Amino acid sequence: MELIKQIKQAEAKAQEVIEQAKADAAKQAEEAHAGRLQALEKAEQERKKATEAAVAAAQSQASAEVKNLKAKAEKQRQQLRDKANTKMPAAAAKVMEYLGSHLAK
């Protein structure tokens, strides 16, 4: 009788251990899932930060490039104006000479 009682107690204890192991496994699985979600969220935040930093750097670089191109274009326009202004008196003189010689005839 005592042996049967001990066997039943051992079975009950084994069942408790099994249930506890199942509960522990479920808890660990839930914690692992939560950890993965947290890691994914952190990775997403890092990706957003990296994207925002890249966009800001690109905007800054583009702004500097635009400023540089505008300055270069203004310099070229000024050089063209200067070149035209230096040739203008000679061209006007030639036109006047041409008109004077053709009108005199």
Side-chain angles (χ1 to χ4, degrees):
M1 264 321 209
E2 188 63 33
L3 187 57
I4 292 174
K5 187 177 178 182
Q6 288 177 351
I7 290 173
K8 285 186 179 184
Q9 286 177 343
E11 285 178 348
K13 183 69 172 173
Q15 189 62 35
E16 287 178 22
V17 169
I18 290 170
E19 293 300 321
Q20 185 62 42
K22 284 181 182 179
D24 289 346
K27 184 178 178 183
Q28 287 178 351
E30 188 177 316
E31 288 173 355
H33 180 69
R36 282 192 302 276
L37 288 177
Q38 189 175 15
L40 283 172
E41 186 176 310
K42 185 176 180 180
E44 180 67 18
Q45 289 173 351
E46 292 297 323
R47 184 191 66 78
K48 283 182 181 179
K49 283 182 185 178
T51 300
E52 289 171 359
V55 167
Q59 286 176 338
S60 176
Q61 186 178 0
S63 177
E65 184 67 19
V66 165
K67 187 182 259 186
N68 184 32
L69 288 173
K70 283 183 177 181
K72 189 175 181 181
E74 183 59 36
K75 183 178 178 182
Q76 288 175 346
R77 280 193 296 273
Q78 188 60 45
Q79 288 174 344
L80 187 58
R81 279 190 214 108
D82 292 346
K83 188 175 179 181
N85 286 339
T86 58
K87 293 185 177 186
M88 188 96 50
K94 284 184 181 180
V95 168
M96 294 303 288
E97 182 182 320
Y98 176 79
L99 289 175
S101 66
H102 280 61
L103 291 177
K105 290 184 184 177

